[in-house]
Amino acid sequence: MEDPPSLNDKSNSYVEFIKAVYRTVDRPVTWLREKVVVPNRPDNVYYHQKFRRVPTIDECYTDDRVCHFEAQQQFNRDKKVDGEIVQLVRQRYKECLIAEQPDHTRKCAKLQADFLKVSENFCMKYADLGPLNNVKDAYMKQKHRMLWERRHGKVGTGMKNQDAL
Amino acid sequence: MTTGKERLGRRSSIPPKFVLIANLLRAFASKVNLPKNAINQGILVLRSNPNNALQVVRQMSEHRTMHIKPSRWSWNRFKDFMHFYIMLGAIPAALVITYINLFIGPARLAEIPEGYVPEAHEYFPHPITRWLAKHVHKSYQQEYELMCHHIYEIEYEQKLRQAENRIKQKMAEKQDTQAYYYQPVSSRYERSIRDNAQADLEISGSV
């Protein structure tokens, strides 16, 4: 299917004039940078650090404090990564909303569902635990949720009667 | 402040009215902020006296006046600070940072090659951060492993102490062991107190 018509295809003399004014400043600067500055720089490289997986808190003995420390550090890193994932999904959803106004309810429904799912999962794991990233608190939260779900069913379906339990 | 009346020599024979006006004018001129009034007046002046002779008059009291004005100490100090922090701080820093950003520039992102373990400073893009990571800061791995070792040592001592306390408690409960244990005693503190008391006695005459 061919691309839909774009505003970039059309032009007029005013637009051309403005582009020419921009070029008078841009061309010398770009030439200087590409021909003079960049070739004379050393070509340094940087990497993104990859961390090995260590045992999580549920695999540590209760008296093994070193294991607790490593699990805590891994939890902190994972929380940052998960936060960035939520940010990316949220950004995509926002950009769709802005671009597709006023049809956003129809066109961005999938992105909206994705964003709600991702943020729900993030909150299930990390939310309402206070300001300190305590891995044991998060572990206990998971345990309590599993107990609650065992007694009352899936979260969101309401609590069962206390006598019936 | 000299007036005409304190000069050496006889009063001239000019009519008194003119003398008065001249004295008033002289007094006014001496009080006005003129350069000549600030000159050190240790000079000898030749005056004519009515006897047609030149007379030497030493003007010994100086017409130096104090120029009363607000202090410029704060302003001068402000200028000193401005010069110091801008000439020696801001401008050299700006030049160095501009040079580094133009002629060295940030690093580009790449995949880690197979089997290669990058050094700590190769995880940062900007040249200044890389330099600091290489020569100044401890790496993440180093601090992490130092902390792990510290926790290991502390935990070891904690467990020893906990075991000792459990044993003592059991020995106290059951009272059935033949281990006569004692509280370890050190007389370091008693000696120190005695020496301090002696020093106080020597200095002050009483305990």
Side-chain angles (χ1 to χ4, degrees):
Chain A
M1 193 179 116
E2 63 176 29
D3 291 329
S6 160
L7 279 172
N8 292 333
D9 298 340
K10 294 202 195 292
S11 187
N12 54 39
S13 53
Y14 173 71
V15 169
E16 290 299 318
F17 170 71
I18 295 296
K19 280 187 186 172
V21 168
Y22 176 79
R23 274 198 298 265
T24 52
V25 176
D26 187 62
R27 281 267 178 81
V29 170
T30 312
W31 176 86
L32 187 70
R33 189 188 152 83
E34 283 173 5
K35 295 282 184 290
V36 174
V37 173
V38 170
N40 288 330
R41 282 184 180 177
D43 186 29
N44 285 335
V45 171
Y46 81 106
Y47 311 104
H48 279 164
Q49 191 161 14
K50 290 189 170 55
F51 293 95
R52 269 186 298 219
R53 300 300 296 182
V54 289
T56 47
I57 190 72
D58 55 316
E59 297 163 12
C60 285
Y61 288 114
T62 43
D63 58 353
D64 189 356
R65 299 292 297 278
V66 180
C67 186
H68 295 174
F69 170 74
E70 293 203 66
Q72 177 74 57
Q73 294 297 311
Q74 185 170 253
F75 178 78
N76 293 349
R77 294 194 296 263
D78 289 344
K79 183 167 176 177
K80 283 183 182 166
V81 169
D82 289 340
E84 290 296 320
I85 292 171
V86 172
Q87 277 285 85
L88 283 170
V89 174
R90 187 191 285 126
Q91 198 58 36
R92 272 188 216 157
Y93 175 49
K94 266 185 181 176
E95 284 168 1
C96 176
L97 285 181
I98 290 167
E100 305 287 353
Q101 290 270 3
D103 309 320
H104 50 279
T105 24
R106 173 171 55 89
K107 288 194 173 164
C108 304
K110 184 177 181 309
L111 283 173
Q112 185 184 21
D114 286 343
F115 169 64
L116 287 175
K117 191 84 198 136
V118 162
S119 61
E120 182 192 329
N121 291 338
F122 182 87
C123 288
M124 267 209 286
K125 188 170 176 187
Y126 297 108
D128 298 328
L129 290 172
L132 303 170
N133 291 338
N134 204 340
V135 65
K136 287 178 194 164
D137 287 351
Y139 185 39
M140 291 299 114
K141 183 183 177 184
Q142 185 188 36
K143 182 197 82 174
H144 292 144
R145 194 182 76 243
M146 289 165 86
L147 282 176
W148 197 93
E149 284 190 344
R150 187 198 293 177
R151 287 175 191 161
H152 300 279
K154 216 74 181 113
V155 171
T157 56
M159 275 176 81
K160 289 206 180 111
N161 202 352
Q162 286 293 322
D163 302 332
L165 280 172
Chain B
M1 195 83 65
T2 59
T3 60
K5 297 198 176 82
E6 289 148 308
R7 285 208 200 287
L8 297 170
R10 283 193 355 236
R11 203 183 288 257
S12 61
S13 55
I14 303 170
K17 194 163 52 174
F18 291 123
V19 169
L20 196 61
I21 291 168
N23 287 342
L24 280 173
L25 281 175
R26 200 181 292 125
F28 176 72
S30 69
K31 286 191 175 70
V32 164
N33 193 10
L34 295 171
K36 68 183 175 90
N37 290 333
I39 295 170
N40 190 354
Q41 302 267 4
I43 48 176
L44 302 177
V45 177
L46 295 176
R47 288 273 148 101
S48 55
N49 77 6
N51 295 335
N52 278 340
L54 285 177
Q55 192 181 43
V56 170
V57 174
R58 185 186 289 273
Q59 294 186 314
M60 290 177 64
S61 63
E62 296 153 2
H63 275 259
R64 270 199 302 199
T65 54
M66 182 178 142
H67 186 194
I68 296 173
K69 55 184 174 155
S71 161
R72 292 181 71 81
W73 184 82
S74 314
W75 173 239
N76 290 337
R77 215 165 91 104
F78 172 74
K79 285 188 284 191
D80 290 341
F81 280 135
M82 279 287 111
H83 280 123
F84 182 79
Y85 284 111
I86 290 175
M87 304 290 199
L88 294 181
I91 291 178
L95 289 173
V96 167
I97 290 171
T98 309
Y99 175 83
I100 289 174
N101 278 326
L102 279 181
F103 295 102
I104 303 176
R108 66 180 165 83
L109 185 57
E111 283 293 326
I112 302 176
E114 280 293 325
Y116 175 64
V117 177
E119 293 178 44
H121 68 93
E122 288 173 1
Y123 288 118
F124 301 101
H126 196 265
I128 295 176
T129 331
R130 280 170 88 99
W131 185 87
L132 287 172
K134 194 170 176 186
H135 296 106
V136 177
H137 297 316
K138 292 191 171 77
S139 66
Y140 179 78
Q141 186 178 354
Q142 191 174 1
E143 297 211 13
Y144 186 97
E145 292 184 7
L146 283 168
M147 188 60 174
C148 284
H149 177 74
H150 177 69
I151 290 174
Y152 174 78
E153 297 260 295
I154 293 283
E155 199 191 345
Y156 199 94
E157 289 161 19
Q158 274 178 351
K159 286 183 175 162
L160 282 178
R161 255 185 268 121
Q162 282 164 4
E164 216 179 301
N165 286 336
R166 285 198 299 269
I167 291 167
K168 274 193 190 164
Q169 203 184 353
K170 275 282 175 282
M171 284 163 80
E173 271 175 34
K174 299 196 168 178
Q175 298 278 334
D176 62 347
T177 46
Q178 214 172 11
Y180 300 103
Y181 63 94
Y182 69 100
Q183 299 286 357
V185 160
S186 160
S187 53
R188 189 189 315 140
Y189 300 107
E190 273 70 25
R191 257 182 271 128
S192 163
I193 291 167
R194 182 198 63 199
D195 293 341
N196 285 343
Q198 211 160 26
D200 288 341
L201 192 64
E202 281 169 27
I203 292 168
S204 63
S206 66
V207 174

